[in-house]
Amino acid sequence: MKDITKKALKLGLWNTLDVQFANVLTLPISDNNNKYNVKEALILASATLSAHVRFGHVCLPLCLITFDKLFQGNHPELVYSIYKKLGKLSIDAWQELLLSCSAVSDGSKITPLVLENKRLYLYHMWEDECRVARFFNYKCQSNILQKEKIISVLNQLFPIIYTEIDWHKIATAIGITHQRVLISGGPGTGKTSIIAKIIAALLLCSNRNDLKIKMIAPTGKAAALLTESFKININNIPQLNKTCLHNLPERATTLHSLLETRSYNKNIQYDYLDPIHLDLLVIDEASMVSLSMFAQLFLTLSPQTRVIFFGDQYQLYPVEPGSVFKDICQFSSFQYSYKRYQEIVNLTGYEFPIVSYSKLSTHYNYNSIIDGMCILKKNYRFNERSGINQLAVAINLGDCTRVLSLLTSNIYKDLYYIYIVEKESYMNMILNCAMEYSNYLQKLQHTKISKTNILESFNHYRILCALRDGPFGVIRMNYFIEQILSEKGLIKLNNSGNYIGRPIIILRNKPSLGLCNGDIGVLLLNDQNKLSAYFILPEDRLKVVQLYQLPEHETCFAMTIHKSQGSEFNHIAIILPNKHTPILTRELLYTAVTRSRQCLFLYATDHVIIRSINLVTKRYSGLYDRIEK
């Protein structure tokens, strides 16, 4: 097995931590008592599971370690040598073999590994998945009281329009009449405006003046954007009086701050003994939240708390393992229960097309998860002539022919596709991208232009790269752009690396300064003629930070697509490498395209675009099967 392990390490299938983990688990198993190759089998299964968790999966389905599926069907010579030693084990044989190990149980006792429903888990991941499933399986008392009052409030907030269905009204009705609500929609579908409408409707319908409401997001940057958009939308609702406004949350906070961590002997622990009592918790950008963070959150919440999840199921997965939001969105393929459908029709006045209920009534009751879901499809940002929206839809559908047709048709004024095949086109790409920043850099020469105006001008445009390293990566692009802008006389480089007009992105949270990972600012001269960093905060507040106070940061003419998630720009340039890599997926391309409001330049090749669209990320978990149906 040592030779097999070395080959797997050399091929990058496992890393040293995966192997060390597997070796520790197999220490109690002696070679003398290894008649059925239990030790070798456990090494293979546990090392592969560890590697899967590193790549974001919650579990390892046993079918993936059978002869034809191991290592995704690649490296046949290595697979053959493994199964020459183990034999071609079936899924049932794997299950019997693993459960014979002291390190594996069915979850009835604490062991390093849990094997359940033919899926192998790390114990803590299994525990987290069970906890999240219990949260969504919780049977809430959802009897709709004061029906006439709810109808009246909904009609005030959404005057009835008979020409088309108002899905914002339907989403709001669902949000105030169900305890577990999930609303998914892409950029431009109006999710943030619905947050304000749901909170307003709850306040107007409630007989209480002390509702406890909180809004959270997974990152400080996302929380700041939610705070800004919420204040704009809530102030446009004239029905709210001073009493209602008094109950509004002042700002959104991060998920981490809500959990109120405390330190004991340098170990972070969560105060599970004192649950957080809220009437409503709104979670924005929920697709970015990992399984473990949701599990910790649900353990601290009172079961009676109404929780509303907002997100986009087609965006990138969380950085850490799990894909809770996307897993739950799988239920959107079902229809509402008949009782729920009638309630929505009565509350909103809208009937919408549905399938037969005969099958559904036997599988879903009133408290089912689908009865608390709403998928937003209408885009209010883009009109029919917009190529950006059509491109995003085609990417989601996996329609490569349609994608390439949109990019090459030259019909749409907001789409530009530049084919990168040679050194000349590569250098032209860098030059074009760099000169898009000339407008904001020229404003630096005018002393009468405000710093807010300069920052807003910079934030109109951004370059998004799929990679950090290499000729098409962020590091190289930022370097080349600085050189070009310096040659054009638009910036003045120096040995310190800091200069007037240098854009920076914060790489680490610094709460004492109110700066979050992902915040973007520009270096400008302050009133004392000294270089300082300027940031635009919610409500157009200007934040000034001395250079020596800044946390870790880097130049940000170009940023990664991952870092751009949650942000939007009027004009973007997307740069993909000229060769496909595993990081280029359908989700990554969709996320990049939907960062643009008005105009998109895509630098790529047909081959890379097609490969990216066809590579759909899948994260293995058992959450969908754990939700009661």
Side-chain angles (χ1 to χ4, degrees):
M1 199 66 184
K2 288 183 178 179
D3 290 338
I4 291 172
T5 299
K6 288 180 180 178
K7 289 179 181 178
L9 285 169
K10 187 175 181 180
L11 291 168
L13 302 170
W14 300 336
N15 69 12
T16 53
L17 289 177
D18 302 330
V19 175
Q20 285 286 78
F21 173 69
N23 288 337
V24 169
L25 290 187
T26 56
L27 281 177
I29 304 175
S30 65
D31 293 328
N32 296 329
N33 188 24
N34 196 20
K35 181 179 179 181
Y36 299 105
N37 297 319
V38 174
K39 186 170 184 175
E40 287 82 358
L42 185 57
I43 287 175
L44 174 63
S46 56
T48 305
L49 169 62
S50 178
H52 267 61
V53 171
R54 282 193 297 105
F55 287 113
H57 303 287
V58 175
C59 63
L60 172 66
L62 293 185
C63 63
L64 297 184
I65 50 175
T66 55
F67 179 76
D68 57 335
K69 296 287 183 67
L70 184 61
F71 305 136
Q72 298 179 327
N74 299 319
H75 313 290
E77 291 183 3
L78 178 59
V79 173
Y80 178 78
S81 62
I82 290 172
Y83 278 95
K84 185 178 180 181
K85 188 173 184 63
L86 294 179
K88 291 186 179 181
L89 298 173
S90 65
I91 294 176
D92 290 337
W94 263 112
Q95 181 143 324
E96 182 180 353
L97 191 62
L98 289 172
L99 287 174
S100 69
C101 305
S102 60
V104 185
S105 74
D106 61 358
S108 58
K109 58 181 180 180
I110 298 177
T111 52
L113 304 180
V114 173
L115 181 56
E116 186 186 20
N117 296 329
K118 298 180 180 178
R119 298 183 180 97
L120 189 64
Y121 296 83
L122 299 176
Y123 183 85
H124 73 92
M125 300 293 289
W126 172 81
E127 190 177 38
D128 286 344
E129 186 177 275
C130 290
R131 183 172 294 126
V132 170
R134 284 195 297 272
F135 172 84
F136 285 107
N137 285 329
Y138 178 75
K139 296 298 184 286
C140 316
Q141 295 297 322
S142 299
N143 295 324
I144 299 177
L145 304 175
Q146 299 179 317
K147 177 181 172 183
E148 296 304 320
K149 187 171 185 179
I150 293 175
I151 293 174
S152 174
V153 167
L154 288 174
N155 287 339
Q156 290 177 52
L157 296 175
F158 304 93
I160 295 178
I161 302 173
Y162 291 101
T163 55
E164 60 177 333
I165 295 173
D166 189 342
W167 285 97
H168 284 198
K169 186 175 185 180
I170 291 173
T172 303
I174 292 170
I176 63 176
T177 58
H178 209 270
Q179 292 291 101
R180 308 285 188 259
V181 179
L182 186 147
I183 298 173
S184 177
T189 53
K191 296 189 297 296
T192 52
S193 66
I194 294 175
I195 293 175
K197 290 291 181 68
I198 288 176
I199 292 177
L202 279 173
L203 292 172
L204 292 170
C205 289
S206 177
N207 295 320
R208 292 169 49 195
N209 293 323
D210 60 344
L211 289 180
K212 295 181 179 178
I213 301 171
K214 269 195 174 292
M215 302 185 300
I216 62 172
T219 65
K221 179 182 177 183
L225 291 172
L226 174 57
T227 298
E228 183 176 21
S229 62
F230 175 74
K231 287 186 176 181
I232 293 171
N233 285 292
I234 205 71
N235 287 330
N236 289 328
I237 301 177
Q239 292 83 3
L240 294 177
N241 55 35
K242 289 183 179 180
T243 303
C244 290
L245 292 172
H246 181 71
N247 281 291
L248 293 175
E250 291 185 3
R251 61 186 179 89
T253 59
T254 63
L255 174 53
H256 290 82
S257 66
L258 179 67
L259 291 174
E260 294 179 347
T261 58
R262 60 185 184 181
S263 177
Y264 292 109
N265 297 323
K266 298 182 180 179
N267 292 319
I268 297 296
Q269 298 183 359
Y270 290 87
D271 191 357
Y272 300 135
L273 300 178
D274 185 19
I276 301 170
H277 293 281
L278 296 171
D279 294 293
L280 171 65
L281 177 65
V282 173
I283 307 174
D284 196 22
E285 298 289 357
S287 61
M288 297 172 64
V289 182
S290 68
L291 174 72
S292 63
M293 287 303 295
F294 270 132
Q296 292 167 16
L297 173 65
F298 297 157
L299 194 57
T300 64
L301 281 181
S302 167
Q304 288 74 39
T305 299
R306 186 191 309 274
V307 183
I308 306 180
F309 305 82
F310 286 87
D312 184 352
Q313 61 179 310
Y314 298 111
Q315 282 194 18
L316 291 166
Y317 285 103
V319 175
E320 296 178 354
S323 53
V324 173
F325 190 84
K326 195 161 190 172
D327 288 346
I328 301 300
C329 279
Q330 292 182 64
F331 289 95
S332 64
S333 60
F334 295 90
Q335 300 295 323
Y336 298 115
S337 63
Y338 182 74
K339 180 181 179 182
R340 184 58 165 164
Y341 173 73
Q342 291 299 325
E343 288 170 350
I344 295 172
V345 171
N346 291 335
L347 292 174
T348 64
Y350 291 113
E351 294 189 20
F352 42 94
I354 50 174
V355 296
S356 170
Y357 292 105
S358 57
K359 179 181 177 182
L360 301 172
S361 60
T362 61
H363 289 277
Y364 287 92
N365 57 30
Y366 179 80
N367 290 318
S368 69
I369 194 169
I370 184 60
D371 283 350
M373 295 182 68
C374 186
I375 308 300
L376 306 172
K377 295 182 179 179
K378 180 176 179 179
N379 199 296
Y380 295 89
R381 178 182 303 162
F382 300 108
N383 58 38
E384 294 179 356
R385 296 180 179 179
S386 169
I388 295 174
N389 187 48
Q390 293 187 53
L391 181 63
V393 171
I395 291 170
N396 274 341
L397 294 174
D399 190 342
C400 297
T401 302
R402 175 64 174 160
V403 168
L404 292 179
S405 175
L406 288 167
L407 291 173
T408 57
S409 64
N410 294 323
I411 296 175
Y412 302 98
K413 302 297 183 181
D414 57 349
L415 280 183
Y416 298 89
Y417 176 38
I418 300 91
Y419 203 88
I420 302 298
V421 290
E422 54 192 13
K423 185 176 180 180
E424 183 179 354
S425 56
Y426 174 80
M427 295 308 298
N428 285 335
M429 172 188 73
I430 297 173
L431 178 62
N432 292 336
C433 287
M435 295 313 295
E436 286 290 336
Y437 284 114
S438 61
N439 184 45
Y440 109 86
L441 289 171
Q442 287 170 356
K443 289 186 177 183
L444 299 176
Q445 314 301 323
H446 302 280
T447 56
K448 292 184 179 181
I449 295 179
S450 69
K451 292 178 171 57
T452 299
N453 188 304
I454 292 172
L455 266 70
E456 287 176 345
S457 179
F458 169 72
N459 285 326
H460 283 170
Y461 172 70
R462 194 70 78 252
I463 301 165
L464 306 182
C465 300
L467 307 175
R468 276 194 59 80
D469 301 312
F472 296 89
V474 165
I475 296 174
R476 194 81 61 88
M477 287 300 300
N478 279 320
Y479 172 78
F480 283 144
I481 288 171
E482 282 185 328
Q483 299 305 312
I484 289 173
L485 295 177
S486 177
E487 291 174 3
K488 300 291 183 181
L490 293 169
I491 61 174
K492 294 181 180 179
L493 297 177
N494 55 51
N495 294 333
S496 71
N498 292 321
Y499 50 86
I500 299 172
R502 181 195 176 197
I504 60 170
I505 182 169
I506 301 299
L507 302 177
R508 182 170 51 84
N509 292 338
K510 194 164 184 180
S512 61
L513 290 176
L515 293 179
C516 305
N517 183 1
D519 282 346
I520 295 174
V522 176
L523 303 190
L524 301 169
L525 293 177
N526 61 20
D527 294 338
Q528 287 75 42
N529 212 35
K530 292 184 179 180
L531 209 56
S532 298
Y534 285 77
F535 301 84
I536 294 182
L537 299 181
E539 299 177 328
D540 291 331
R541 289 182 293 119
L542 206 59
K543 176 79 174 181
V544 186
V545 180
Q546 301 302 314
L547 296 188
Y548 72 88
Q549 293 180 302
L550 286 172
E552 185 180 356
H553 58 279
E554 65 183 15
T555 302
C556 189
F557 288 109
M559 62 191 298
T560 62
I561 296 170
H562 279 84
K563 282 284 188 183
S564 73
Q565 193 167 1
S567 300
E568 293 172 356
F569 308 95
N570 288 342
H571 179 183
I572 67 168
I574 301 171
I575 297 177
L576 302 183
N578 58 354
K579 294 182 180 179
H580 188 267
T581 66
I583 198 173
L584 298 175
T585 63
R586 183 183 299 180
E587 294 82 5
L588 187 81
L589 187 55
Y590 168 82
T591 301
V593 167
T594 53
R595 298 312 92 203
S596 178
R597 294 191 188 102
Q598 297 176 4
C599 186
L600 183 155
F601 280 75
L602 176 59
Y603 295 90
T605 66
D606 292 357
H607 172 73
V608 167
I609 291 172
I610 292 170
R611 286 284 303 275
S612 300
I613 293 172
N614 287 332
L615 184 57
V616 180
T617 308
K618 178 176 177 57
R619 285 195 171 177
Y620 296 106
S621 82
L623 182 61
Y624 178 83
D625 291 336
R626 290 188 192 279
I627 304 294
E628 292 181 9
K629 298 187 270 291

